[in-house]
Amino acid sequence: MDQMPDRSRATARRRRAYWTPARQCQFLAALMESGSVARAARAVGMSRSSAHRLRHRLAGTAFDRQWEEALAMHAGLTADPMVWTAARASMDTAGR
């Protein structure tokens, strides 16, 4: 009887599947580090398609702009490691 009933498992799964503000910030930080939507989504326990749906739903918002900025910062990381320090500090203060 250690097994959860099907309804409890489904409820627990739905609870984990929300894009909370904290999860969005973690995703953006992971996106900046990796440059990969799939990797960043996996890092926060979400799917790539779910991340794209969220971005579409939040088009024109700060999240949408920060997505673009995260990818641009990732590109800059390969060119200048000092960009990482500034970018990380920026993401940390934005999440507060």
Side-chain angles (χ1 to χ4, degrees):
M1 295 286 178
D2 290 338
Q3 298 263 338
M4 289 176 109
D6 288 341
R7 179 179 286 164
S8 295
R9 266 186 274 154
T11 301
R13 199 171 29 250
R14 277 194 300 272
R15 258 184 272 155
R16 285 192 305 266
Y18 289 115
W19 278 99
T20 62
R23 186 171 274 160
Q24 290 175 28
C25 287
Q26 292 166 348
F27 167 80
L28 292 169
L31 182 61
M32 182 175 53
E33 288 180 38
S34 69
S36 165
V37 174
R39 284 186 197 158
R42 270 194 313 272
V44 298
M46 302 299 280
S47 69
R48 178 187 59 80
S49 60
S50 173
H52 282 291
R53 282 193 306 272
L54 176 68
R55 185 177 186 199
H56 180 73
R57 194 168 57 248
L58 298 178
T61 66
F63 178 80
D64 185 28
R65 289 186 300 274
Q66 289 169 345
W67 180 308
E68 284 300 319
E69 291 169 12
L71 290 175
M73 286 184 209
H74 174 76
L77 291 175
T78 58
D80 183 0
M82 291 306 292
V83 171
W84 169 244
T85 304
R88 187 64 179 186
S90 172
M91 292 298 279
D92 288 342
T93 58
R96 292 183 188 162

